[in-house]
Amino acid sequence: QRRNALLLAGTCSALASVAGVCLALSFTLAPSQIYAWVGVVFAAVMYAYGQRAAGGMLRFGRRLAGDNGESSVRLAGQAIRGVALGVVVTALVQAVLGGIGLAIVGVPYAVVLTAVMFFFAVAQIGAAPVLVLAVIWLYWTGDTGWGTFLLVWTVVVASLDNVLRPILVLTSNSEKELP
């Protein structure tokens, strides 16, 4: 009887400490979850009411500086659209090319890693961390030939960020003029 009581007390104590750690971890992760949900709600509101907000900004610009104010607001919107286009298209190209490289060398879960590369590239981290870890894995497993190939491929894919994005941003905004 006493032994069961001691075992139960020890188990309850261990469960209490595990619950405390889980509670502390949830408080640590809660702000990032809140930020993510606020971002989702903000994106949904902007998607639903974006045209109305854009019209309000155009009226504000016209009221503030006349025709120059309205054209400045339009130019700012086109610049934002161009940068967003450059970021997303560059991320897509990097992820696809990185995924092709992973598939060629035979890295397992290449599709999942391609999705991770896309999210990293959109978040401005780039595809290089995933590709570098794959290169390390290939060298670790003894596939030095494929590791070297993927290393060269990683340099090419990572360099696209510095070449392709500026080209996309400039071409999407090349015909616009400042007021």
Side-chain angles (χ1 to χ4, degrees):
Q1 245 349 337
R2 180 159 170 77
R3 186 174 149 177
N4 288 342
L6 287 175
L7 184 62
L8 182 63
T11 303
C12 288
S13 172
L15 286 176
S17 64
V18 167
V21 168
C22 289
L23 186 63
L25 185 61
S26 70
F27 284 129
T28 303
L29 295 177
S32 62
Q33 290 295 319
I34 291 171
Y35 293 144
W37 281 109
V38 166
V40 167
V41 169
F42 182 73
V45 168
M46 289 306 291
Y47 183 75
Y49 302 106
Q51 292 297 327
R52 190 180 310 165
M57 288 302 297
L58 287 172
R59 286 191 302 278
F60 175 74
R62 179 175 284 287
R63 192 172 293 150
L64 190 64
D67 288 337
N68 285 341
E70 184 178 339
S71 60
S72 294
V73 169
R74 285 189 192 280
L75 182 64
Q78 291 166 345
I80 291 169
R81 189 174 296 119
V83 169
L85 176 74
V87 167
V88 172
V89 170
T90 303
L92 186 64
V93 169
Q94 276 188 316
V96 167
L97 290 177
I100 289 170
L102 292 176
I104 288 172
V105 300
V107 172
Y109 304 108
V111 174
V112 174
L113 293 174
T114 300
V116 171
M117 284 188 286
F118 176 72
F119 289 122
F120 277 6
V122 168
Q124 302 300 301
I125 297 170
V130 174
L131 292 170
V132 167
L133 289 175
V135 168
I136 291 169
W137 178 77
L138 285 169
Y139 279 118
W140 187 303
T141 58
D143 290 333
T144 55
W146 285 121
T148 304
F149 169 78
L150 191 61
L151 179 64
V152 172
W153 191 254
T154 300
V155 170
V156 170
V157 170
S159 299
L160 282 176
D161 194 34
N162 299 325
V163 176
L164 186 60
R165 185 181 314 152
I167 291 171
L168 289 170
V169 171
L170 285 175
T171 57
S172 66
N173 291 323
S174 63
E175 67 274 357
K176 285 78 175 179
E177 292 181 10
L178 288 173

